[in-house]
């Protein structure tokens, strides 16, 4: 299939996502909105399968079957009362997927500047989303205490980890074939996600999940810059921005400040 | 030049995303979060391209495969769960 046709279909998908998010903000149009968005996803996925760069299908077929069965089973079995933690888990998988996309490209791509910057950013944001979402899940599912857990020197630790992650990202861009640096970045980012969410109390978790949802959107957008994929960039940044606004709306509804969420210090407020 | 066009798309889509959400009734907070979470599963497109790339290094296919599994869980689970939540609202 022609590349132009695929990108036109991506445009249609992006428009359906926009209409879908818009629809989901009003009770009357919410069901329709979700259906339009799902149709957009179907179109984007199907046309991608016709991309000339896809040479083999065995990994794709196996992955879609396994993922589809797991996703459908989880969605059918989950209790309605357990929805926030369900969204957290799904969001964690989304972040993990962007992380894996970035790692696949790290091993497969030529190491030009823009793709390398995008790979590092995607690994950082994707890994934080992955581990942070699973802490949020564990708290709501009461696998670990839902109470705010005081971590001494929490802010300093967060700052040190973030600076280390950014430093490693810059080092990877300079040394694109150094696998050890990449492993270190993944590890630091996963720990960063853990320490960001662990101090926060269970009652504030919905706001944190909304914020992590925004992160997974940004991770998808930065993944789009690895291979110049327009539908990833547009949809990812839509979710990233609208997710941030939703986070702020939810904060206001709960009388919280967004700054406190962003810096992971809500536990101290509560 | 192509990078500049993509950056333009990125920035314009961010502003669009900000404008898209204005007033949301509290009952729709979780479904909206869940629905937009499903959209972030769009990374499946990147996952398909990586998993099917037929690159010589097997790590590309392995990470691509992992990405396809995780993104498919996100997409299928995300849309089904959102649908279930919204169906519950309709009955009320």
């Amino acid at each position: 299939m022609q590349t132009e046709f695929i990108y036109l279909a991506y445009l249609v998908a992006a428009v359906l996502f926009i209409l879908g998010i818009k629809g989901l903000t009003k009770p009357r149009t919410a069901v329709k909105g979700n259906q339009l968005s799902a149709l957009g996803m179907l179109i984007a996925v199907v046309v991608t399968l016709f991309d000339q760069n896809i040479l083999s299908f065995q990994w794709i077929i196996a992955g879609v079957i396994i993922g589809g069965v797991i996703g459908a089973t989880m969605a059918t079995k989950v209790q309605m009362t357990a929805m926030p933690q369900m969204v957290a888990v799904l969001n964690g998988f989304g972040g993990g997927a962007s992380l894996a996309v970035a790692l696949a490209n790290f091993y497969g791509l030529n190491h030009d500047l823009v793709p390398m910057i995008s790979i590092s950013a995607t690994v950082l944001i994707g890994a934080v989303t992955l581990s942070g979402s699973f802490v949020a899940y564990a708290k709501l599912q009461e696998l670990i205490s839902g109470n705010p857990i005081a971590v001494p020197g929490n802010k300093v630790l967060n700052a040190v980890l973030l600076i280390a992650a950014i430093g490693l990202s810059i080092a990877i861009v300079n040394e694109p074939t150094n696998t050890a640096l990449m492993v270190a970045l993944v590890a630091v980012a996963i720990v960063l996600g853990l320490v960001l969410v662990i101090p926060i109390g269970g009652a504030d978790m919905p706001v944190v999940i909304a914020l992590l949802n925004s992160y997974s959107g940004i991770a998808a957008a930065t993944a789009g810059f690895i291979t110049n994929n327009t539908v990833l960039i547009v949809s990812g940044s839509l979710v990233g921005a609208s997710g941030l606004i939703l986070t702020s709306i939810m904060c206001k509804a709960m009388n919280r400040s967004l700054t406190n969420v962003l810096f992971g210090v809500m536990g101290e407020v509560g | 030049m192509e990078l500049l066009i993509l950056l333009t798309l990125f920035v314009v889509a961010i502003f669009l995303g900000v404008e898209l959400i204005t007033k949301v009734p509290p009952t729709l907070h979780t479904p909206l979060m869940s629905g937009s979470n499903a959209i972030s599963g769009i990374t499946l497109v990147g996952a398909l391209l990586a998993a099917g790339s037929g690159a010589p290094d097997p790590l590309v296919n392995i990470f691509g495969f992992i990405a396809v599994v995780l993104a498919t869980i996100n997409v299928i689970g995300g849309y089904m769960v959102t649908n279930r939540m919204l169906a519950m609202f309709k009955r009320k």
Side-chain angles (χ1 to χ4, degrees), chain A residues 10 17-18 21-22 24-27 30-31 34 37-38 41 44-45 48-49 51 53-56 59-60 62-64 66-68 70-72 74-76 78 80 83 86-87 90-91 93-94 96-98 100-101 103-104 107-108 114 206 209-210 213 216-217 220-221 225 228-235 237-239 241-242 245-246 249-250, chain B residues 2-3 6-7 9-11 13-55 57-88 90:
Chain A
Y10 283 167
F17 290 147
I18 293 166
I21 294 179
K22 187 82 198 159
L24 275 168
T25 61
K26 290 184 190 69
V31 173
N34 193 46
S37 148
M41 185 63 72
V45 167
T48 303
L49 295 174
D51 192 300
N53 292 318
I54 294 187
L55 302 174
S56 64
W59 294 98
I60 291 177
V64 167
I66 295 172
I70 296 174
M74 286 169 68
T76 324
V78 65
M80 288 313 288
M83 279 305 169
M86 177 72 185
V87 177
L90 292 172
N91 191 52
F93 286 142
S98 290
V101 168
L103 290 176
Y107 288 105
V114 175
I209 298 170
N213 177 40
S216 72
F225 278 100
N228 295 349
N229 191 303
T230 53
V231 77
L232 284 186
I233 294 173
V234 173
S235 328
S237 43
L238 271 178
V239 173
S242 65
I245 300 302
L246 179 63
I249 290 176
M250 288 170 74
Chain B
E2 187 178 72
L3 178 65
L6 294 175
L7 270 177
L9 262 186
F10 178 66
V11 173
I14 284 180
F15 276 89
L16 177 58
V18 170
E19 295 300 321
L20 214 47
I21 311 272
T22 42
K23 271 175 279 169
V24 186
T27 46
L28 279 179
H29 285 175
T30 312
L32 176 58
M33 184 163 77
S34 175
S36 58
N37 168 54
I39 296 177
S40 69
I42 189 68
T43 200
L44 177 55
V45 164
L48 295 173
L49 290 168
S53 67
D57 191 336
L59 282 171
V60 177
N61 292 316
I62 292 169
F63 280 117
F65 167 72
I66 295 172
V68 171
V69 173
L70 296 179
T72 308
I73 297 176
N74 189 186
V75 167
I76 301 281
Y79 281 113
M80 284 179 67
V81 153
T82 312
N83 207 40
R84 268 187 71 190
M85 277 186 238
L86 294 173
M88 203 182 67
K90 257 204 314 197

Side-chain angles (χ1 to χ4, degrees), chain A:
Chain A
M1 201 182 289
Q2 292 282 321
T3 310
E4 285 81 6
F5 183 82
I6 294 178
Y7 276 78
L8 273 177
Y10 283 167
L11 174 60
V12 173
V15 169
L16 288 169
F17 290 147
I18 293 166
L19 296 174
I21 294 179
K22 187 82 198 159
L24 275 168
T25 61
K26 290 184 190 69
R28 220 161 27 86
T29 53
V31 173
K32 189 82 180 288
N34 193 46
Q35 288 165 352
L36 287 177
S37 148
L39 177 66
M41 185 63 72
L42 184 69
I43 291 173
V45 167
V46 169
V47 298
T48 303
L49 295 174
F50 289 95
D51 192 300
Q52 290 155 353
N53 292 318
I54 294 187
L55 302 174
S56 64
F57 282 89
Q58 70 269 34
W59 294 98
I60 291 177
I61 294 168
V64 167
I65 290 174
I66 295 172
V69 170
I70 296 174
T73 311
M74 286 169 68
T76 324
K77 291 249 167 87
V78 65
Q79 299 286 320
M80 288 313 288
T81 49
M83 279 305 169
Q85 52 265 53
M86 177 72 185
V87 177
V89 170
L90 292 172
N91 191 52
F93 286 142
S98 290
L99 167 66
V101 168
L103 290 176
N105 281 293
F106 175 70
Y107 288 105
L109 217 66
N110 57 19
H111 298 111
D112 291 336
L113 181 65
V114 175
M116 285 316 295
I117 295 173
S118 314
I119 285 172
S120 298
T122 310
V123 165
L124 172 55
I125 304 167
V128 167
T129 307
L130 173 69
S131 60
S133 298
F134 277 93
V135 175
Y137 164 78
K139 288 216 170 208
L140 288 172
Q141 197 67 29
E142 289 172 350
L143 300 175
I144 55 176
S145 165
N147 295 328
I149 300 169
V151 181
N154 185 42
K155 279 184 218 173
V156 179
L157 182 61
N158 288 352
V160 168
L161 285 168
L162 185 61
I163 291 167
I166 292 171
L168 282 166
S169 302
I170 294 169
I172 289 169
V173 174
N174 283 323
E175 257 185 275
T177 51
N178 192 331
T179 310
L181 287 174
M182 181 53 84
V183 173
L185 176 61
V186 173
V188 169
I190 283 183
V191 175
L192 179 60
L194 296 178
V195 299
L196 276 176
V197 182
I198 282 177
I200 303 170
D204 294 332
M205 233 11 100
V207 177
V208 175
I209 298 170
L211 183 64
L212 288 166
N213 177 40
S214 166
Y215 287 178
S216 72
I218 299 169
T222 52
F225 278 100
I226 304 173
T227 53
N228 295 349
N229 191 303
T230 53
V231 77
L232 284 186
I233 294 173
V234 173
S235 328
S237 43
L238 271 178
V239 173
S242 65
L244 204 57
I245 300 302
L246 179 63
T247 309
S248 131
I249 290 176
M250 288 170 74
C251 277
K252 276 185 200 129
M254 295 169 72
N255 264 327
R256 294 296 199 180
S257 124
L258 181 56
T259 339
N260 284 345
V261 191
L262 283 170
F263 295 102
V265 291
M266 288 173 84
E268 291 167 26
V269 184

